[in-house]
Amino acid sequence: MTATPRFTGDAHPYGGGDPYADYRTADFPFTHHADLADRRLGAGVIAANDEFFAQRENLLVPERAEFDPERFGHKGKIMDGWETRRRRGSSADHPWPAAEDHDWALVRLGAPGVIRGIVVDTAHFRGNYPQAVSVEGTSVPGTPSPEDLLGDDVKWTTLVPRTPVGGHAANGFEVSVEQRFTHLRVKQHPDGGIARLRVHGEVVPDPAWLAVLGTFDVVALENGGQVEDASNLFYSPATNTIQPGRSRKMDDGWETRRRRDQGHDWIRYRLVARSRIRAIEIDTAYLKGNSAGWASVSVRDGEEGDWQEILPRTRLQPDTNHRFVLPAPAVGTHARVDIFPDGGISRLRLHGSLTDEGMSRLAARHQELGG
């Protein structure tokens, strides 16, 4: 396995032109997992000890950080990230921060789950980024307040130990803790600024909640569904198709490049657990001249099962939500949507309920991961 790249030290001062021209980044092995700190899932930065120069909420903005060299406010340079004031020492004889000094922010994950990797992005923080960062996680049920999370009875697990980071860089960290987390505590040592935080992992839903719901979307990201693979990701990620809510713009869905052959495109999904599907929704919202022409849906029961078509190839309309009630429930653990010949869809919904076996497996995994 290739070691995760590490960036340290200052970036060059901004010299004009494209500010991302000298941005340092890499292909991290965990970014195919969903972002558990996505605002669309309900994530939030619920507290921070200091946000003098730039607000903590910027950490979870879905778009990449922007830089305006002319933008200043009453407190100084306005940065698109979370930035704290400069720490000082205890006296004139010791003006430097103490070794243990740090700033912190509490992050509520939008969907609790197992974390596979974290990206601490210091884009545009060239000489004002933290010297080092660390990240801890905890699992607290319900909706705890910041005061609850900072209580002495809350156990925090180290996910990223205190590690030097680089300015104007995507600092990636693989995480190997097999545990379900609901909240993170991000620390920057001793002070500075972070532009964005991404928390990649696998959603682990609460089986008791799903049991009460009865019928729900068994492929939805927030319920534990996930994209396993797709034929083409040229314009947008396939994970968009199982995000909450309806698409709000064209790139908030899945769109493929134009085909010039006789093939077709597809996405393969893993359901939250073995499920009984009763109805299907295929939405092409905001895809007007580029929606898929036709679509079909198939399911497979188990890793080695055969694919069974449950929705035959059906004509789709642009910018339209299509609903289909199945004549009989379809049981499976995986699903696949095929689109013909290319184009895109914005959302896929598979409405159903867990089988007894599916509920048992989900409950066992939830308990094993400390849920």
Side-chain angles (χ1 to χ4, degrees):
M1 179 179 293
T2 304
T4 302
R6 289 282 181 264
F7 305 108
T8 57
D10 293 349
H12 294 299
Y14 176 63
D18 179 7
Y20 274 102
D22 60 341
Y23 176 68
R24 295 175 286 178
T25 188
D27 291 327
F28 300 118
F30 48 77
T31 53
H32 63 284
H33 291 290
D35 181 6
L36 304 183
D38 194 321
R39 284 288 298 167
R40 289 174 292 181
L41 292 174
V45 187
I46 61 175
N49 72 307
D50 187 310
E51 46 187 329
F52 186 85
F53 287 114
Q55 294 90 347
R56 64 182 190 261
E57 288 86 359
N58 289 333
L59 283 173
L60 305 187
V61 171
E63 294 79 20
R64 71 178 188 173
E66 298 299 330
F67 180 71
D68 181 352
E70 304 299 327
R71 192 178 182 207
F72 286 82
H74 294 293
K75 293 182 178 180
K77 183 73 187 73
I78 297 176
M79 297 294 289
D80 185 7
W82 168 50
E83 185 181 7
T84 66
R85 73 190 76 202
R86 298 186 189 217
R87 284 184 171 270
R88 296 295 186 239
S90 57
S91 68
D93 293 331
H94 199 286
W96 310 280
E100 66 275 11
D101 283 351
H102 66 273
D103 293 315
W104 55 263
L106 295 177
V107 177
R108 180 190 64 241
L109 297 179
V114 178
I115 298 168
R116 301 302 182 193
I118 295 173
V119 177
V120 177
D121 188 351
T122 59
H124 315 303
F125 289 92
R126 295 170 176 268
N128 52 345
Y129 60 94
Q131 181 184 39
V133 300
S134 61
V135 183
E136 302 165 295
T138 189
S139 183
V140 179
T143 53
S145 67
E147 292 75 21
D148 294 331
L149 292 169
L150 295 173
D152 294 336
D153 58 335
V154 174
K155 177 186 176 182
W156 291 91
T157 300
T158 298
L159 305 180
V160 178
R162 181 170 175 168
T163 307
V165 294
H168 197 43
N171 299 277
F173 306 93
E174 290 189 74
V175 177
S176 57
V177 181
E178 288 293 322
Q179 186 177 332
R180 179 181 185 266
F181 293 102
T182 61
H183 296 78
L184 300 185
R185 181 163 60 186
V186 180
K187 296 180 180 179
Q188 48 179 338
H189 309 264
D191 54 40
I194 299 171
R196 297 289 187 266
L197 177 73
R198 305 296 185 231
V199 184
H200 298 279
E202 302 165 15
V203 177
V204 180
D206 182 352
W209 175 252
L210 297 183
V212 170
L213 292 180
T215 297
F216 58 93
D217 183 1
V218 297
V219 77
L221 180 61
E222 61 187 321
N223 294 331
Q226 57 184 286
V227 169
E228 287 193 327
D229 200 3
S231 61
N232 187 273
L233 303 172
F234 189 83
Y235 286 113
S236 47
T239 303
N240 282 350
T241 61
I242 54 175
Q243 289 281 3
R246 295 197 71 197
S247 175
R248 297 170 296 170
K249 50 190 177 135
M250 191 175 75
D251 66 348
D252 188 17
W254 173 60
E255 182 188 359
T256 71
R257 71 180 76 203
R258 299 189 188 208
R259 278 189 171 268
R260 303 306 186 196
D261 58 21
Q262 299 300 304
H264 73 281
D265 290 312
W266 51 267
I267 307 175
R268 187 177 74 244
Y269 305 88
R270 178 186 294 273
L271 308 183
V272 54
R274 193 166 188 256
S275 303
R276 188 173 288 105
I277 301 167
R278 298 182 178 86
I280 298 171
E281 288 185 71
I282 301 176
D283 196 352
T284 59
Y286 291 96
L287 296 166
K288 299 181 178 181
N290 50 353
S291 68
W294 291 262
S296 64
V297 177
S298 304
V299 298
R300 183 176 73 188
D301 195 11
E303 296 286 350
E304 305 301 325
D306 295 327
W307 289 104
Q308 304 292 329
E309 192 174 70
I310 61 173
L311 178 71
R313 194 178 303 189
T314 302
R315 188 74 166 95
L316 299 182
Q317 299 299 321
D319 196 27
T320 301
N321 192 27
H322 310 74
R323 291 178 172 173
F324 310 95
V325 176
L326 300 182
V331 175
T333 57
H334 297 71
R336 191 184 73 222
V337 60
D338 294 89
I339 64 170
F340 304 87
D342 56 23
I345 61 173
S346 61
R347 296 290 189 271
L348 174 71
R349 306 295 188 211
L350 302 178
H351 300 288
S353 56
L354 299 183
T355 64
D356 290 343
E357 178 192 348
M359 179 58 74
S360 296
R361 286 180 177 270
L362 184 63
R365 183 165 188 253
H366 185 263
Q367 184 176 20
E368 178 186 348
L369 295 171

